[in-house]
mmCIF file with all atom_site columns, all heavy atoms in Angstrom:
data_model
loop_
_atom_site.group_PDB
_atom_site.id
_atom_site.type_symbol
_atom_site.label_atom_id
_atom_site.label_alt_id
_atom_site.label_comp_id
_atom_site.label_asym_id
_atom_site.label_entity_id
_atom_site.label_seq_id
_atom_site.pdbx_PDB_ins_code
_atom_site.Cartn_x
_atom_site.Cartn_y
_atom_site.Cartn_z
_atom_site.occupancy
_atom_site.B_iso_or_equiv
_atom_site.pdbx_formal_charge
_atom_site.auth_seq_id
_atom_site.auth_comp_id
_atom_site.auth_asym_id
_atom_site.auth_atom_id
_atom_site.pdbx_PDB_model_num
ATOM 1   N N   . GLN A 1 71 ? -2.286  -1.425  12.324 1.00 0.00 ? 71 GLN A N   1
ATOM 2   C CA  . GLN A 1 71 ? -3.306  -0.468  12.718 1.00 0.00 ? 71 GLN A CA  1
ATOM 3   C C   . GLN A 1 71 ? -4.655  -0.824  12.077 1.00 0.00 ? 71 GLN A C   1
ATOM 4   O O   . GLN A 1 71 ? -5.688  -0.684  12.714 1.00 0.00 ? 71 GLN A O   1
ATOM 5   C CB  . GLN A 1 71 ? -2.892  0.956   12.358 1.00 0.00 ? 71 GLN A CB  1
ATOM 6   C CG  . GLN A 1 71 ? -3.839  2.013   12.912 1.00 0.00 ? 71 GLN A CG  1
ATOM 7   C CD  . GLN A 1 71 ? -3.939  1.965   14.409 1.00 0.00 ? 71 GLN A CD  1
ATOM 8   O OE1 . GLN A 1 71 ? -2.926  2.086   15.130 1.00 0.00 ? 71 GLN A OE1 1
ATOM 9   N NE2 . GLN A 1 71 ? -5.127  1.789   14.958 1.00 0.00 ? 71 GLN A NE2 1
ATOM 10  N N   . GLY A 1 72 ? -4.623  -1.290  10.853 1.00 0.00 ? 72 GLY A N   1
ATOM 11  C CA  . GLY A 1 72 ? -5.832  -1.734  10.171 1.00 0.00 ? 72 GLY A CA  1
ATOM 12  C C   . GLY A 1 72 ? -6.480  -2.896  10.934 1.00 0.00 ? 72 GLY A C   1
ATOM 13  O O   . GLY A 1 72 ? -7.686  -2.960  11.116 1.00 0.00 ? 72 GLY A O   1
ATOM 14  N N   . ALA A 1 73 ? -5.670  -3.830  11.390 1.00 0.00 ? 73 ALA A N   1
ATOM 15  C CA  . ALA A 1 73 ? -6.157  -4.962  12.172 1.00 0.00 ? 73 ALA A CA  1
ATOM 16  C C   . ALA A 1 73 ? -6.753  -4.517  13.498 1.00 0.00 ? 73 ALA A C   1
ATOM 17  O O   . ALA A 1 73 ? -7.821  -4.996  13.925 1.00 0.00 ? 73 ALA A O   1
ATOM 18  C CB  . ALA A 1 73 ? -5.057  -5.993  12.401 1.00 0.00 ? 73 ALA A CB  1
ATOM 19  N N   . VAL A 1 74 ? -6.097  -3.572  14.163 1.00 0.00 ? 74 VAL A N   1
ATOM 20  C CA  . VAL A 1 74 ? -6.610  -3.026  15.422 1.00 0.00 ? 74 VAL A CA  1
ATOM 21  C C   . VAL A 1 74 ? -7.951  -2.327  15.216 1.00 0.00 ? 74 VAL A C   1
ATOM 22  O O   . VAL A 1 74 ? -8.909  -2.541  15.979 1.00 0.00 ? 74 VAL A O   1
ATOM 23  C CB  . VAL A 1 74 ? -5.591  -2.086  16.090 1.00 0.00 ? 74 VAL A CB  1
ATOM 24  C CG1 . VAL A 1 74 ? -6.186  -1.327  17.250 1.00 0.00 ? 74 VAL A CG1 1
ATOM 25  C CG2 . VAL A 1 74 ? -4.335  -2.867  16.540 1.00 0.00 ? 74 VAL A CG2 1
ATOM 26  N N   . ASP A 1 75 ? -8.026  -1.523  14.170 1.00 0.00 ? 75 ASP A N   1
ATOM 27  C CA  . ASP A 1 75 ? -9.270  -0.822  13.857 1.00 0.00 ? 75 ASP A CA  1
ATOM 28  C C   . ASP A 1 75 ? -10.421 -1.809  13.594 1.00 0.00 ? 75 ASP A C   1
ATOM 29  O O   . ASP A 1 75 ? -11.529 -1.621  14.082 1.00 0.00 ? 75 ASP A O   1
ATOM 30  C CB  . ASP A 1 75 ? -9.103  0.116   12.674 1.00 0.00 ? 75 ASP A CB  1
ATOM 31  C CG  . ASP A 1 75 ? -8.138  1.257   12.949 1.00 0.00 ? 75 ASP A CG  1
ATOM 32  O OD1 . ASP A 1 75 ? -7.825  1.527   14.118 1.00 0.00 ? 75 ASP A OD1 1
ATOM 33  O OD2 . ASP A 1 75 ? -7.686  1.866   11.967 1.00 0.00 ? 75 ASP A OD2 1
ATOM 34  N N   . MET A 1 76 ? -10.143 -2.851  12.824 1.00 0.00 ? 76 MET A N   1
ATOM 35  C CA  . MET A 1 76 ? -11.167 -3.857  12.531 1.00 0.00 ? 76 MET A CA  1
ATOM 36  C C   . MET A 1 76 ? -11.573 -4.582  13.816 1.00 0.00 ? 76 MET A C   1
ATOM 37  O O   . MET A 1 76 ? -12.748 -4.852  14.038 1.00 0.00 ? 76 MET A O   1
ATOM 38  C CB  . MET A 1 76 ? -10.653 -4.848  11.487 1.00 0.00 ? 76 MET A CB  1
ATOM 39  C CG  . MET A 1 76 ? -10.561 -4.285  10.085 1.00 0.00 ? 76 MET A CG  1
ATOM 40  S SD  . MET A 1 76 ? -9.826  -5.450  8.914  1.00 0.00 ? 76 MET A SD  1
ATOM 41  C CE  . MET A 1 76 ? -11.049 -6.759  8.919  1.00 0.00 ? 76 MET A CE  1
ATOM 42  N N   . ALA A 1 77 ? -10.593 -4.928  14.629 1.00 0.00 ? 77 ALA A N   1
ATOM 43  C CA  . ALA A 1 77 ? -10.873 -5.661  15.872 1.00 0.00 ? 77 ALA A CA  1
ATOM 44  C C   . ALA A 1 77 ? -11.737 -4.806  16.807 1.00 0.00 ? 77 ALA A C   1
ATOM 45  O O   . ALA A 1 77 ? -12.633 -5.329  17.491 1.00 0.00 ? 77 ALA A O   1
ATOM 46  C CB  . ALA A 1 77 ? -9.569  -6.064  16.564 1.00 0.00 ? 77 ALA A CB  1
ATOM 47  N N   . ARG A 1 78 ? -11.488 -3.527  16.843 1.00 0.00 ? 78 ARG A N   1
ATOM 48  C CA  . ARG A 1 78 ? -12.329 -2.631  17.680 1.00 0.00 ? 78 ARG A CA  1
ATOM 49  C C   . ARG A 1 78 ? -13.775 -2.618  17.182 1.00 0.00 ? 78 ARG A C   1
ATOM 50  O O   . ARG A 1 78 ? -14.707 -2.502  17.999 1.00 0.00 ? 78 ARG A O   1
ATOM 51  C CB  . ARG A 1 78 ? -11.741 -1.232  17.723 1.00 0.00 ? 78 ARG A CB  1
ATOM 52  C CG  . ARG A 1 78 ? -10.477 -1.166  18.590 1.00 0.00 ? 78 ARG A CG  1
ATOM 53  C CD  . ARG A 1 78 ? -9.963  0.227   18.778 1.00 0.00 ? 78 ARG A CD  1
ATOM 54  N NE  . ARG A 1 78 ? -8.838  0.212   19.686 1.00 0.00 ? 78 ARG A NE  1
ATOM 55  C CZ  . ARG A 1 78 ? -7.706  0.894   19.508 1.00 0.00 ? 78 ARG A CZ  1
ATOM 56  N NH1 . ARG A 1 78 ? -7.559  1.646   18.466 1.00 0.00 ? 78 ARG A NH1 1
ATOM 57  N NH2 . ARG A 1 78 ? -6.755  0.816   20.413 1.00 0.00 ? 78 ARG A NH2 1
ATOM 58  N N   . LEU A 1 79 ? -13.963 -2.728  15.884 1.00 0.00 ? 79 LEU A N   1
ATOM 59  C CA  . LEU A 1 79 ? -15.325 -2.830  15.350 1.00 0.00 ? 79 LEU A CA  1
ATOM 60  C C   . LEU A 1 79 ? -16.004 -4.139  15.778 1.00 0.00 ? 79 LEU A C   1
ATOM 61  O O   . LEU A 1 79 ? -17.189 -4.153  16.054 1.00 0.00 ? 79 LEU A O   1
ATOM 62  C CB  . LEU A 1 79 ? -15.297 -2.743  13.820 1.00 0.00 ? 79 LEU A CB  1
ATOM 63  C CG  . LEU A 1 79 ? -14.986 -1.376  13.240 1.00 0.00 ? 79 LEU A CG  1
ATOM 64  C CD1 . LEU A 1 79 ? -14.867 -1.443  11.730 1.00 0.00 ? 79 LEU A CD1 1
ATOM 65  C CD2 . LEU A 1 79 ? -16.103 -0.379  13.612 1.00 0.00 ? 79 LEU A CD2 1
ATOM 66  N N   . VAL A 1 80 ? -15.213 -5.193  15.856 1.00 0.00 ? 80 VAL A N   1
ATOM 67  C CA  . VAL A 1 80 ? -15.756 -6.461  16.331 1.00 0.00 ? 80 VAL A CA  1
ATOM 68  C C   . VAL A 1 80 ? -16.225 -6.308  17.761 1.00 0.00 ? 80 VAL A C   1
ATOM 69  O O   . VAL A 1 80 ? -17.315 -6.724  18.145 1.00 0.00 ? 80 VAL A O   1
ATOM 70  C CB  . VAL A 1 80 ? -14.704 -7.616  16.209 1.00 0.00 ? 80 VAL A CB  1
ATOM 71  C CG1 . VAL A 1 80 ? -15.182 -8.869  16.950 1.00 0.00 ? 80 VAL A CG1 1
ATOM 72  C CG2 . VAL A 1 80 ? -14.431 -7.913  14.758 1.00 0.00 ? 80 VAL A CG2 1
ATOM 73  N N   . LEU A 1 81 ? -15.383 -5.678  18.586 1.00 0.00 ? 81 LEU A N   1
ATOM 74  C CA  . LEU A 1 81 ? -15.740 -5.476  20.012 1.00 0.00 ? 81 LEU A CA  1
ATOM 75  C C   . LEU A 1 81 ? -17.018 -4.668  20.145 1.00 0.00 ? 81 LEU A C   1
ATOM 76  O O   . LEU A 1 81 ? -17.835 -4.893  21.032 1.00 0.00 ? 81 LEU A O   1
ATOM 77  C CB  . LEU A 1 81 ? -14.592 -4.777  20.753 1.00 0.00 ? 81 LEU A CB  1
ATOM 78  C CG  . LEU A 1 81 ? -13.337 -5.638  20.907 1.00 0.00 ? 81 LEU A CG  1
ATOM 79  C CD1 . LEU A 1 81 ? -12.206 -4.777  21.479 1.00 0.00 ? 81 LEU A CD1 1
ATOM 80  C CD2 . LEU A 1 81 ? -13.587 -6.866  21.756 1.00 0.00 ? 81 LEU A CD2 1
ATOM 81  N N   . LYS A 1 82 ? -17.226 -3.742  19.244 1.00 0.00 ? 82 LYS A N   1
ATOM 82  C CA  . LYS A 1 82 ? -18.401 -2.865  19.301 1.00 0.00 ? 82 LYS A CA  1
ATOM 83  C C   . LYS A 1 82 ? -19.651 -3.534  18.716 1.00 0.00 ? 82 LYS A C   1
ATOM 84  O O   . LYS A 1 82 ? -20.747 -3.337  19.240 1.00 0.00 ? 82 LYS A O   1
ATOM 85  C CB  . LYS A 1 82 ? -18.085 -1.584  18.520 1.00 0.00 ? 82 LYS A CB  1
ATOM 86  C CG  . LYS A 1 82 ? -19.205 -0.598  18.447 1.00 0.00 ? 82 LYS A CG  1
ATOM 87  C CD  . LYS A 1 82 ? -18.798 0.625   17.630 1.00 0.00 ? 82 LYS A CD  1
ATOM 88  C CE  . LYS A 1 82 ? -19.964 1.553   17.398 1.00 0.00 ? 82 LYS A CE  1
ATOM 89  N NZ  . LYS A 1 82 ? -19.610 2.643   16.508 1.00 0.00 ? 82 LYS A NZ  1
ATOM 90  N N   . ASN A 1 83 ? -19.463 -4.310  17.638 1.00 0.00 ? 83 ASN A N   1
ATOM 91  C CA  . ASN A 1 83 ? -20.624 -4.765  16.859 1.00 0.00 ? 83 ASN A CA  1
ATOM 92  C C   . ASN A 1 83 ? -20.965 -6.237  16.903 1.00 0.00 ? 83 ASN A C   1
ATOM 93  O O   . ASN A 1 83 ? -22.076 -6.625  16.574 1.00 0.00 ? 83 ASN A O   1
ATOM 94  C CB  . ASN A 1 83 ? -20.431 -4.361  15.385 1.00 0.00 ? 83 ASN A CB  1
ATOM 95  C CG  . ASN A 1 83 ? -20.370 -2.870  15.202 1.00 0.00 ? 83 ASN A CG  1
ATOM 96  O OD1 . ASN A 1 83 ? -21.099 -2.138  15.824 1.00 0.00 ? 83 ASN A OD1 1
ATOM 97  N ND2 . ASN A 1 83 ? -19.432 -2.396  14.392 1.00 0.00 ? 83 ASN A ND2 1
ATOM 98  N N   . SER A 1 84 ? -20.012 -7.084  17.253 1.00 0.00 ? 84 SER A N   1
ATOM 99  C CA  . SER A 1 84 ? -20.259 -8.520  17.202 1.00 0.00 ? 84 SER A CA  1
ATOM 100 C C   . SER A 1 84 ? -21.037 -9.022  18.424 1.00 0.00 ? 84 SER A C   1
ATOM 101 O O   . SER A 1 84 ? -20.906 -8.457  19.512 1.00 0.00 ? 84 SER A O   1
ATOM 102 C CB  . SER A 1 84 ? -18.968 -9.301  17.077 1.00 0.00 ? 84 SER A CB  1
ATOM 103 O OG  . SER A 1 84 ? -19.225 -10.693 16.996 1.00 0.00 ? 84 SER A OG  1
ATOM 104 N N   . GLN A 1 85 ? -21.814 -10.063 18.193 1.00 0.00 ? 85 GLN A N   1
ATOM 105 C CA  . GLN A 1 85 ? -22.546 -10.718 19.267 1.00 0.00 ? 85 GLN A CA  1
ATOM 106 C C   . GLN A 1 85 ? -21.798 -11.956 19.764 1.00 0.00 ? 85 GLN A C   1
ATOM 107 O O   . GLN A 1 85 ? -22.160 -12.516 20.781 1.00 0.00 ? 85 GLN A O   1
ATOM 108 C CB  . GLN A 1 85 ? -23.933 -11.146 18.758 1.00 0.00 ? 85 GLN A CB  1
ATOM 109 C CG  . GLN A 1 85 ? -24.759 -10.016 18.176 1.00 0.00 ? 85 GLN A CG  1
ATOM 110 C CD  . GLN A 1 85 ? -25.229 -9.057  19.257 1.00 0.00 ? 85 GLN A CD  1
ATOM 111 O OE1 . GLN A 1 85 ? -25.733 -9.487  20.290 1.00 0.00 ? 85 GLN A OE1 1
ATOM 112 N NE2 . GLN A 1 85 ? -25.085 -7.786  19.011 1.00 0.00 ? 85 GLN A NE2 1
#
Side-chain angles (χ1 to χ4, degrees):
Q71 188 59 57
V74 169
D75 294 344
M76 288 175 65
R78 287 186 175 137
L79 288 173
V80 170
L81 293 171
K82 178 181 173 187
N83 297 318
S84 182
Q85 304 290 314

